[in-house]
Amino acid sequence: MQGRRAAASRPTMREVAEAAGVSMMTVSRVVNGDARVAQPTRARVQAVIDALGYRRNDIARSLRPGHSSALLGLIITNVANPFYSVIALAVEQAARKRGFGLIVGNTDEDIDRERELVDELLIRRVDGLLIVPAGGDHSYLTVELAAGVKVVFLGRPPGRVHADVVLVDDYGGARDGGLHLIGKGHRRIGFVGNQQGVYTAARRLRGFRAALKQSGLTLPESLVRSGSQDVVAAQAAAEELLRLPDPPTALFASNNRNSIGALRGIRAVGRPVGLVGFDDFELADMIEDPFTVVAYDAEEMGRAATDLLVDRIQGDRAPPRRIVVPTRLVARGSSGTAGP
Amino acid sequence: MQGRRAAASRPTMREVAEAAGVSMMTVSRVVNGDARVAQPTRARVQAVIDALGYRRNDIARSLRPGHSSALLGLIITNVANPFYSVIALAVEQAARKRGFGLIVGNTDEDIDRERELVDELLIRRVDGLLIVPAGGDHSYLTVELAAGVKVVFLGRPPGRVHADVVLVDDYGGARDGGLHLIGKGHRRIGFVGNQQGVYTAARRLRGFRAALKQSGLTLPESLVRSGSQDVVAAQAAAEELLRLPDPPTALFASNNRNSIGALRGIRAVGRPVGLVGFDDFELADMIEDPFTVVAYDAEEMGRAATDLLVDRIQGDRAPPRRIVVPTRLVARGSSGTAGP
DNA sequence: TTGTAGGCGTTATCAA
DNA sequence: TTGATAACGCCTACAA
């Protein structure tokens, strides 16, 4: 065998028509359940369809005017992260419920990759895009939005473009978390979080600061450790704080990576330290010293964003919306106490 | 405004051609980087492309002979399950690396839904399908396979059809887990697992049995609890076993849901009990009484399956392959000891 | 270097 | 009830 043999290709409507001795239109009518086909004809055509294993080609179909791909694109930073996988599931289910398939792509927090993915998905003519932005400037989408592509941002707002967005109440959640620790009697509380360049991280720090401020406390810069992307870095940051001459009696962690790191750091210093973390996780109650978390409904986020996107695709022309999903404090363990 | 206004539609190649005063072919050449276009012409066309926001339409493109959708379909039981989300990520990355996009669909372990998804994806003309089967009969795929669609099954073998499959070494892993407990001195070990109808569950029970047998032990039916799908059921099953008059000194759990349930059950009875579970999970080392797990590389599974699928699409006609991903025992905690 | 013709698989429209 | 025709957006093959 030389060269690449073409894969056995599927029968086309024309082949079915020839085999059944009818025109393509008749086959089309049978395939699409059009009632205006005589019963015997329908039966004969259907038999040929079954025999040949014919399946309508949606690619050709969606080329026709008025039709679309009926696909949404989901661009996400990392599907394997529990939060995002929950969102991905919710999006897939909501999309399917409304008649859309879903193409997914991971950016791994890489801005260039994000843009490549947007390109690829637009070329594939998705009807809409759900983006968990890796950050940066999204003004390149302006021309696409003008061309009628619908876009909804998820978790973080876009840069330099006006579009729909579904966010978590990062500020309020962090403030509640801070107040919880203060309520437990803590007066010196450290902050462990990821880079301030990430929208959620910055908002959460601000919310945490607000909690202190409204309680008449301040957050010395020496107790702020921003920039830990992973568990290892977060642990180091937490240990650093806890080994200060005048260490905090509690920590606030800005996301689940940092919560785990803080937890490990606390364990490493072997001293009871209060802890509140943003993001809930399974098994949170099974760990040795359960801590309080700021939780939110990731499933609801995915569903809300998808519904909004599909509404847009189906003609909703209202001004860009900003949906904020509330957080709730899930109190677990003692969250430590301030004094001995 | 009455009726549904058509979304501002994208410019086509023809429009670009007209605006630039050239033929469509010239635009096509510019778009596809064909060198045989005079520099001034190219510049003029490119300017129009940018001005109009033109993007090639891959749907139209893939309709042409020789081209394909360059899409793979991933049908999975639940993307939000950590194991499957890791697989989904690996598949997406491997697919992209080889030039394919990915459409995903969740079955939620529903056989009918699985079949609907297969239909939808075939209609969309994906080049290949990765399926984590919910179970049942897949003979309906025979005609599709004959038509040239490539399919690789993941995690569980298909029913009644001969196709590529990537599996975990369920049997060997469970046997190793059993031997580990026996090595710790346990002689009466209970089994907590999901329905025997699920391939993996059945294989794991068999492997566990083999460990006992080769050690000269037997597994009384009274110590086997199959059928717990979720954590709550698994906990009940574990407690039941541990409250028997002659209770086991250790438990083997057939998957992560059952591991968590067993763990909770053990804690409920408040007595030290050995535990080994199939499936690793994050934070496994942070829980109060860490236990040994049978782990495997889910990422590798996804990658291997995707590579195999793409090989098939690209012409590999070797007989169906069966790839088995090995497991490894991750010993944690004491796994209990048998006697006082 | 540039352009023309034809067709990929489907369906809307109009005609028989 | 059935069919012929044209068109969706693009690209291969072949001219000019």
Side-chain angles (χ1 to χ4, degrees):
Chain A
M1 195 194 311
Q2 60 154 17
R4 177 137 73 93
R5 199 170 59 109
S9 67
R10 291 200 160 274
T12 70
M13 198 172 257
R14 177 201 304 285
E15 296 175 60
V16 173
E18 279 169 10
V22 296
S23 77
M24 284 170 56
M25 263 322 292
T26 300
V27 178
S28 175
R29 290 189 179 106
V30 172
V31 167
N32 295 295
D34 190 319
R36 302 166 317 186
V37 179
Q39 186 47 45
T41 314
R42 171 186 307 283
R44 187 156 39 99
V45 171
Q46 189 60 54
V48 174
I49 287 176
D50 293 341
L52 267 53
Y54 168 80
R55 293 186 111 95
R56 186 176 67 194
N57 183 338
D58 252 31
I59 291 187
R61 192 165 197 247
S62 69
L63 193 58
R64 307 209 21 80
H67 285 271
S68 80
S69 65
L71 281 173
L72 304 184
L74 172 64
I75 297 179
I76 208 163
T77 51
N78 180 0
V79 229
N81 178 312
F83 290 89
Y84 295 126
S85 68
V86 168
I87 288 179
L89 175 62
V91 168
E92 194 272 340
Q93 290 179 332
R96 194 159 307 279
K97 193 169 292 175
R98 299 191 64 173
F100 289 80
L102 184 71
I103 303 189
V104 297
N106 275 280
T107 61
D108 209 13
E109 298 278 2
D110 179 335
I111 300 183
D112 298 330
R113 205 162 174 60
E114 176 182 317
R115 178 137 187 198
E116 283 170 24
L117 279 168
V118 169
D119 272 8
E120 189 204 308
L121 292 173
L122 290 177
I123 277 180
R124 289 187 186 280
R125 290 299 191 268
V126 295
D127 294 322
L129 236 31
L130 286 155
I131 305 180
V132 177
D137 184 348
H138 294 92
S139 55
Y140 67 92
L141 279 173
T142 309
V143 57
E144 310 301 340
L145 290 166
V149 179
K150 308 306 175 189
V151 183
V152 172
F153 288 86
L154 210 46
R156 309 167 190 174
R160 306 177 149 277
V161 72
H162 204 44
D164 291 311
V165 58
V166 177
L167 299 172
V168 173
D169 181 12
D170 298 298
Y171 182 91
R175 194 192 48 209
D176 292 348
L179 289 175
H180 178 79
L181 285 170
I182 294 165
K184 290 285 181 184
H186 295 284
R187 290 297 170 263
R188 268 181 82 73
I189 309 175
F191 179 90
V192 186
N194 45 339
Q195 320 89 299
Q196 291 299 296
V198 176
Y199 171 85
T200 49
R203 292 289 294 169
R204 290 170 190 182
L205 175 52
R206 219 169 297 165
F208 173 63
R209 270 219 172 85
L212 293 168
K213 189 166 181 193
Q214 79 180 67
S215 307
L217 303 171
T218 55
L219 176 63
E221 279 312 309
S222 61
L223 293 191
V224 176
R225 289 290 182 284
S226 290
S228 13
Q229 269 280 46
D230 55 42
V231 173
V232 173
Q235 173 172 356
E239 283 194 45
E240 224 178 278
L241 286 175
L242 297 176
R243 294 196 200 286
L244 286 175
D246 184 11
T249 63
L251 297 177
F252 180 86
S254 81
N255 67 7
N256 66 344
R257 300 294 87 191
N258 278 276
S259 297
I260 308 305
L263 189 66
R264 291 190 196 275
I266 290 170
R267 218 172 268 186
V269 302
R271 184 171 80 233
V273 174
L275 175 61
V276 166
F278 214 106
D279 293 341
D280 197 5
F281 49 91
E282 203 197 357
L283 289 187
D285 63 319
M286 295 295 281
I287 60 177
E288 203 164 329
D289 187 13
F291 56 92
T292 295
V293 297
V294 178
Y296 54 90
D297 191 341
E299 202 178 319
E300 167 63 18
M301 281 185 72
R303 198 169 33 225
T306 308
D307 281 336
L308 177 50
L309 180 59
V310 175
D311 287 347
R312 295 304 195 186
I313 291 168
Q314 294 178 343
D316 179 350
R317 296 273 186 289
R321 230 170 293 168
R322 181 191 182 87
I323 298 176
V324 177
V325 173
T327 59
R328 66 179 195 288
L329 205 69
V330 180
R332 289 201 189 98
S334 64
S335 300
T337 43
Chain B
M1 195 194 309
Q2 58 154 20
R4 178 136 75 92
R5 200 170 59 108
S9 68
R10 293 202 159 273
T12 70
M13 197 173 258
R14 177 202 306 284
E15 296 176 59
V16 173
E18 279 168 10
V22 296
S23 76
M24 281 175 59
M25 261 325 291
T26 300
V27 179
S28 175
R29 290 190 180 104
V30 171
V31 168
N32 294 296
D34 189 319
R36 302 166 316 184
V37 180
Q39 187 46 44
T41 314
R42 171 185 306 283
R44 188 155 38 97
V45 171
Q46 188 60 54
V48 174
I49 288 176
D50 293 341
L52 267 52
Y54 169 80
R55 293 186 112 95
R56 186 176 69 194
N57 183 337
D58 250 31
I59 289 187
R61 192 167 199 247
S62 69
L63 194 57
R64 308 218 10 85
H67 286 271
S68 80
S69 65
L71 280 173
L72 304 184
L74 172 63
I75 297 178
I76 208 162
T77 52
N78 180 0
V79 229
N81 178 312
F83 289 89
Y84 294 126
S85 68
V86 168
I87 287 179
L89 175 63
V91 168
E92 194 272 341
Q93 290 179 332
R96 194 158 308 278
K97 193 169 291 174
R98 299 191 65 173
F100 289 80
L102 185 70
I103 303 190
V104 296
N106 276 279
T107 62
D108 209 14
E109 298 278 3
D110 179 335
I111 300 182
D112 298 330
R113 205 164 173 60
E114 175 182 318
R115 178 136 187 198
E116 284 170 24
L117 279 168
V118 168
D119 272 9
E120 190 205 305
L121 292 174
L122 290 177
I123 277 181
R124 290 188 186 279
R125 289 300 191 270
V126 295
D127 294 323
L129 236 31
L130 286 154
I131 305 179
V132 177
D137 183 348
H138 294 91
S139 55
Y140 67 91
L141 279 172
T142 309
V143 57
E144 310 301 340
L145 289 165
V149 179
K150 309 305 175 190
V151 183
V152 173
F153 288 86
L154 210 45
R156 310 168 190 171
R160 306 177 147 276
V161 71
H162 204 41
D164 291 311
V165 58
V166 178
L167 299 172
V168 173
D169 181 11
D170 298 297
Y171 182 91
R175 194 192 47 210
D176 293 348
L179 289 176
H180 177 79
L181 285 170
I182 295 166
K184 291 284 181 183
H186 294 285
R187 290 299 171 264
R188 268 181 82 73
I189 310 174
F191 178 91
V192 186
N194 44 341
Q195 320 88 300
Q196 291 299 295
V198 176
Y199 172 85
T200 49
R203 293 288 294 169
R204 290 170 190 182
L205 174 52
R206 220 170 295 166
F208 173 63
R209 272 219 171 85
L212 293 168
K213 189 167 181 190
Q214 80 181 65
S215 308
L217 302 170
T218 55
L219 176 63
E221 279 312 309
S222 61
L223 293 191
V224 175
R225 288 290 182 283
S226 290
S228 13
Q229 271 280 47
D230 55 43
V231 173
V232 173
Q235 174 172 354
E239 284 193 48
E240 224 177 280
L241 287 175
L242 297 177
R243 295 195 200 284
L244 287 175
D246 185 9
T249 63
L251 297 177
F252 179 86
S254 80
N255 68 7
N256 66 344
R257 299 295 85 190
N258 278 277
S259 296
I260 308 305
L263 189 65
R264 291 191 196 273
I266 289 170
R267 218 172 269 187
V269 301
R271 182 171 80 234
V273 174
L275 175 61
V276 166
F278 214 106
D279 293 341
D280 197 5
F281 49 92
E282 202 197 359
L283 289 187
D285 64 319
M286 296 294 282
I287 59 176
E288 203 164 327
D289 186 14
F291 56 91
T292 295
V293 298
V294 178
Y296 55 90
D297 191 341
E299 202 177 321
E300 166 63 18
M301 280 184 72
R303 200 168 33 226
T306 308
D307 281 336
L308 177 51
L309 180 59
V310 175
D311 287 347
R312 295 303 195 187
I313 290 168
Q314 295 179 342
D316 179 349
R317 295 276 186 287
R321 230 169 293 167
R322 181 190 182 86
I323 297 176
V324 177
V325 172
T327 59
R328 67 179 194 290
L329 205 70
V330 180
R332 290 201 189 98
S334 64
S335 302
T337 43

